[in-house]
Amino acid sequence: MTYQQTIAEAGQTFESHWNGIEPENVARMRLQNRFRTGLDIARYTAKIMREDMAAYDADPANYTQSLGCWHGFIGQQKLISIKKHFGTTKRRYLYLSGWMVAALRSDFGPLPDQSMHEKTSVPALVEELYTFLKQADARELGGMFRDLDKAREGGDAVEAKRIEHAIDNYETHVVPIIADIDAGFGNAEATYLLAKKFIEAGACCLQIENQVSDEKQCGHQDGKVTVPHEDFVAKIRAIRYAFMELGVDDGLIVARTDSLGAGLTKQIAFVREAGDIGDQYNSFLDCDEVDAATLGHGDVLISRDGKLLRPKRLPSNLYQFRSGTGEDRCVLDCINALNSGADLLWIETEKPHVAQIGGMVSRIREVIPNAKLVYNNSPSFNWTLNFRQQVFDKWAAEGKDVSAYDRARLMSIDYDGTDLGNEADERIRTFQADAAREAGIFHHLITLPTYHTAALSTDNLAKRYFGEEGMLGYVKQVQREEIRQGIACVKHQNMAGSDIGDDHKEYFAGEAALKAGGAHNTMNQFAAA
C-alpha cells in the first residue's frame, strides 16, 4: 500500500465529530508502527529466513550473518549502522545469546552460562530488541515525514514525490532473531511453554541444545552432559507445536549438538529393538564386558549381541562415552534432529577449522543433502593463534622453512605483519565465505561481540578520561568521532525519541504544542553531523 493509499484508508474510518484529527497524521503513525504484535514480527521474519535459506541452497555465497546483542539499544544501533553503511539489512540478523543474558541480564547478577538465569528473561530481551528496532523505524520515518513537509512548504513537488516514493519503499530495521533457549529450561512441557513466550515476543527461530537442562554448560566449557535422542526430539516437537499453535507455521528450529566436546550422559537410552536410535546412542558408551559370576553389588548392565556389558559410571552417577567417538555421535545427532523436524544445525566445535566442520557436514549430507549449519564464530576461540598455527602446520607439511617462527608463541606481536601473520589474517577474513562454500554454513554469528566491544570501549574511555586527557579523552575519542563518522546517536535526544514526541505533540495540540526541538535545543549544534 502506498503512502497516499494509507492516508486514504485512514480517512475512511473518521467520524464527523473528530475535530482536529488529520488522516495523514494517522497514516504516519500507522506506518511508524507497522508491526502490531510479536507474532506479526515472527511471521514476517520467518518468511525472510525461509527465503534466505532457499537463496543459500542456490548459491552458498548467499550466506547470512549476525552479531549477538545483549540490549535493545545495542541491537538498534547495529541495524542503524548496517543500513547506513550497506543500504540494506538483507541477510543480516540478530543473535540473542543465553550466555549474555546470564552474564548481564539476570536479577541474580552475573552468572555463568549454566541456565541459572530466569527463563523468562530471554523472551523479555527478544521483546526489548524489537521495541528498539521498531523505534528505529519510527525515528527514521519521522525524519522522512519532516523532509516531506519541508519540500511541500517550499513548493518542491519533485522532491516531495521522491520522498513519498522512498516512504513507499521503506526497509524496516526489523530482522530475524535467532534466539537461544538453552536446553529448554526443564522438561518438554516447560520447553513448549517457554517457546510460546519467545514466539509471542517476536522470535521466528529458536536454538535448542542436546544437553541435560539441569547439567547445562557453555558449549566451550568442560563437563557437558548430553541426553538420548528421544529426549531431545521431544523438545524439538514441543517447539514445533508452539510455532504451529501460534500460527507461525514456517518458524525455524536450530538443533545444536554439543556431542563433539561432551563425553558424558546421564541416561542409558531405552532400546526397543536392535539398531534403533536408542541402541545407537548406547553403542557409544564406554563399557567393560563382564561375566555374570563376577557382578558387583549395584552394577548396571546392558546386553548386546549376547554379551553382558557394564557401562562405566562415575561417582556423579553419570556415564561416560568412549574416547574418540565425539564426531560420530555429533553426526548421528545432526541426522536424527533433521529427520525429526529441525531446520538447521549447530555444531559446537573446539576450534574454527573449515576442513573439520566440512568433514562432518559431508557425512551428514550423505543422508540429508540440503543440511545447513548455523555456526558460532566464537570469541572463546583465540582466532589469531588458531589460524597462525593452521598456517604454520600447513607450511611445515609442505616442506616450507618455518624456522623463523616459534609455534608455541605465534600469538606474539612479533609475528604481526610477517608472511605467516598476513596469511593467517587473510584466512580469518575469508573464513565465513570459505566455510559457507565448503562446510555448509548458512548462518555465521558471533555470540558475544558486543559484550567485548562494550568492555574494550569502556576501558579506553576510562583510561583517557580519568587520566591526563580529562575531558579531551571523551571529546577526541568519542564525540568528535561520532560527528565525523555520522553516528546517529551523537544526537542522543533525537535517538531517545524527542522528535517523535514533538511530532505527536503537534498532532495532539496543533500550534499550542510546546515542542522540545526549538531554537534553544543544544542538539542543534550537531545539525551538520
Side-chain angles (χ1 to χ4, degrees):
M1 188 179 297
T2 67
Y3 181 60
Q4 292 299 330
Q5 288 170 334
T6 306
I7 296 172
E9 180 188 64
Q12 292 172 4
T13 64
F14 275 46
E15 298 286 345
S16 59
H17 63 282
W18 290 357
N19 296 324
I21 303 297
E22 296 294 333
E24 186 162 7
N25 294 342
V26 174
R28 291 180 176 187
M29 295 172 82
R30 286 180 177 176
L31 289 171
Q32 288 174 303
N33 188 27
R34 170 183 171 182
F35 299 100
R36 304 291 190 268
T37 69
L39 290 177
D40 289 342
I41 292 172
R43 295 185 187 105
Y44 169 77
T45 53
K47 183 174 182 289
I48 290 174
M49 278 197 71
R50 293 287 179 182
E51 291 171 350
D52 287 347
M53 288 165 66
Y56 173 82
D57 286 339
D59 182 356
N62 294 320
Y63 63 90
T64 56
Q65 299 168 290
S66 65
L67 296 173
C69 297
W70 53 272
H71 191 281
F73 176 74
I74 301 296
Q76 178 199 66
Q77 293 304 301
K78 170 189 150 181
L79 267 298
I80 288 174
S81 177
I82 288 169
K83 284 193 73 175
K84 179 182 78 171
H85 291 295
F86 305 105
T88 179
T89 62
K90 188 172 179 60
R91 298 199 297 275
R92 280 99 176 191
Y93 303 167
L94 284 172
Y95 180 68
L96 193 163
S97 162
W99 192 103
M100 284 204 283
V101 172
L104 299 170
R105 302 297 300 257
S106 172
D107 286 345
F108 296 113
L111 294 172
D113 183 19
Q114 296 174 353
S115 292
M116 294 187 289
H117 53 282
E118 306 84 358
K119 62 173 68 176
T120 54
S121 60
V122 193
L125 180 53
V126 175
E127 184 175 14
E128 177 182 297
L129 284 161
Y130 280 129
T131 296
F132 273 80
L133 295 186
K134 290 191 292 182
Q135 194 262 8
D137 281 358
R139 171 188 166 275
E140 190 171 26
L141 282 165
M144 296 168 77
F145 297 149
R146 287 187 289 279
D147 289 343
L148 177 60
D149 291 340
K150 184 177 179 181
R152 287 173 175 173
E153 291 166 4
D156 192 341
V158 173
E159 175 64 4
K161 199 66 180 175
R162 185 197 67 77
I163 295 171
E164 283 193 26
H165 179 75
I167 293 169
D168 291 342
N169 293 279
Y170 180 77
E171 183 180 45
T172 177
H173 293 83
V174 170
V175 298
I177 286 180
I178 298 175
D180 185 0
I181 198 171
D182 278 19
F185 288 89
N187 61 16
E189 175 70 8
T191 301
Y192 154 77
L193 294 171
L194 183 58
K196 289 208 298 181
K197 290 290 187 183
F198 273 76
I199 299 160
E200 289 167 341
C204 73
C205 183
L206 302 187
Q207 164 214 325
I208 186 164
E209 62 205 55
N210 68 338
Q211 290 192 48
V212 178
S213 287
D214 56 356
E215 301 285 353
K216 145 82 186 179
Q217 292 276 14
C218 173
H220 289 280
Q221 293 183 319
D222 207 354
K224 295 181 289 294
V225 183
T226 62
V227 296
H229 295 88
E230 287 297 337
D231 294 42
F232 190 47
V233 167
K235 293 187 176 184
I236 291 174
R237 292 193 196 108
I239 294 173
R240 180 62 63 202
Y241 273 113
F243 272 125
M244 298 191 76
E245 177 184 340
L246 296 173
V248 187
D249 295 347
D250 53 357
L252 295 107
I253 301 171
V254 178
R256 172 179 141 181
T257 172
D258 287 304
S259 294
L260 193 64
L264 302 170
T265 184
K266 201 169 190 176
Q267 299 164 266
I268 297 174
F270 177 74
V271 177
R272 292 177 176 83
E273 59 183 39
D276 68 10
I277 194 65
D279 194 33
Q280 292 179 68
Y281 186 81
N282 292 342
S283 71
F284 295 112
L285 291 170
D286 192 0
C287 300
D288 293 322
E289 187 176 346
V290 296
D291 187 288
T294 63
L295 294 181
H297 183 74
D299 276 352
V300 174
L301 305 176
I302 61 175
S303 64
R304 180 177 297 118
D305 301 326
K307 299 176 181 178
L308 282 179
L309 303 175
R310 179 171 50 212
K312 293 181 178 176
R313 186 164 56 167
L314 306 178
S316 61
N317 206 34
L318 300 171
Y319 298 93
Q320 67 184 43
F321 292 111
R322 295 193 313 279
S323 178
T325 63
E327 181 171 317
D328 290 339
R329 287 184 283 118
C330 184
V331 169
L332 180 61
D333 292 344
C334 291
I335 292 170
N336 188 66
L338 290 176
N339 280 333
S340 301
D343 302 287
L344 294 162
L345 302 171
W346 174 314
I347 298 174
E348 196 77 89
T349 66
E350 81 285 0
K351 59 180 178 291
H353 195 290
V354 173
Q356 180 199 30
I357 304 162
M360 287 186 285
V361 171
S362 294
R363 293 177 61 188
I364 297 164
R365 285 183 166 179
E366 289 174 5
V367 181
I368 303 174
N370 68 340
K372 291 180 282 295
L373 268 64
V374 171
Y375 187 72
N376 178 10
N377 294 207
S378 177
S380 292
F381 303 141
N382 184 329
W383 286 77
T384 302
L385 182 61
N386 264 287
F387 277 83
R388 286 181 179 181
Q389 288 179 341
Q390 288 179 39
V391 173
F392 181 96
D393 294 342
K394 178 176 178 291
W395 285 4
E398 294 171 348
K400 192 170 181 176
D401 182 12
V402 292
S403 60
Y405 304 98
D406 181 351
R407 192 181 188 280
R409 35 182 317 274
L410 287 176
M411 184 64 198
S412 170
I413 195 173
D414 296 342
Y415 299 123
D416 290 2
T418 63
D419 289 346
L420 185 145
N422 291 339
E423 181 169 330
D425 282 353
E426 179 62 12
R427 285 190 178 206
I428 294 170
R429 186 187 72 81
T430 64
F431 173 80
Q432 293 188 336
D434 294 342
R437 182 181 63 253
E438 300 171 21
I441 297 178
F442 158 72
H443 185 78
H444 283 279
L445 62 92
I446 308 178
T447 43
L448 319 175
T450 53
Y451 175 91
H452 292 280
T453 55
L456 180 62
S457 62
T458 302
D459 178 85
N460 287 335
L461 175 61
K463 176 178 64 177
R464 293 182 173 104
Y465 175 74
F466 292 104
E468 292 183 2
E469 291 185 42
M471 192 58 195
L472 182 62
Y474 171 77
V475 172
K476 183 178 179 181
Q477 302 297 330
V478 181
Q479 189 182 78
R480 193 176 297 170
E481 290 304 310
E482 285 182 301
I483 295 170
R484 290 174 176 173
Q485 294 182 40
I487 304 300
C489 68
V490 70
K491 303 178 184 178
H492 48 261
Q493 307 287 12
N494 167 270
M495 185 57 63
S498 65
D499 286 336
I500 297 173
D502 276 357
D503 291 340
H504 291 171
K505 289 176 184 177
E506 192 167 10
Y507 297 166
F508 305 156
E511 293 182 357
L514 183 63
K515 297 193 290 184
H520 298 294
N521 188 321
T522 56
M523 193 170 66
N524 294 332
Q525 296 175 35
F526 302 105

